[in-house]
Amino acid sequence: MDGSMSVMGTAVLAVVLLLLIWRVLTAKGQAQFDERQLLARGAAYRAGFYTMLIFLAGVYLAMNLLDWQPHDAALPAFGGMCLGVTVFACVAVVKDAYLGIRQKPKQALLMIGLVTVVNLALGAAELTHSRGFSGGMTVANSMNLVIGTMGLVILLTLAARLAADRRCGE
């Protein structure tokens, strides 16, 4: 990736992080959960944890058996964590235990959408400037693409849940 794209991406990320920190620090009140939501959130944590554990065991087993090493050495661990978080978030949304999103859904969807778009754009730029997938290797830096994909899946799950809630409410 060239220097100007990297500087622009860093600046956008810094602005998004500052907005997120400001939003968290100025938020009023805490989300209230009933017992059913707490149990559902526990089930979501469990699903995310076991997904991450199975994924990491499978990837590292495959890496040892197939003698495969990605260019991005952090990709297996980072991808496993992102997969676990994605499963947690999607299960939490489906079981109606998501963390305060319902209180201000437009702001949550906007923030997740912004982070997703920025990461997908940076990931696409990295793909166009990378050596590609030669020899079974992944791109040199695929973390933005992984985060963007994770955000897109979570965003689509949230949007589907909010649309279903709206239809049930009518």
Side-chain angles (χ1 to χ4, degrees), residues 79-160:
M81 287 187 292
C82 286
L83 180 63
V85 168
T86 303
V87 168
F88 159 73
C90 291
V91 169
V93 167
V94 168
K95 291 183 177 253
D96 194 29
Y98 47 110
L99 311 171
I101 301 288
R102 177 171 280 162
Q103 293 171 352
K104 295 183 180 179
K106 288 182 183 177
Q107 288 178 339
L109 291 173
L110 181 65
M111 182 59 76
I112 294 170
L114 180 63
V115 170
T116 298
V117 167
V118 167
N119 277 291
L120 284 174
L122 290 172
E126 179 64 34
L127 277 177
T128 60
H129 291 85
S130 119
R131 290 187 294 265
F133 296 96
S134 61
M137 303 286 189
T138 56
V139 295
N141 182 5
S142 53
M143 291 186 191
N144 288 111
L145 199 56
V146 171
I147 292 172
T149 304
M150 177 179 90
L152 186 61
V153 170
I154 293 170
L155 189 64
L156 291 173
T157 305
L158 276 169

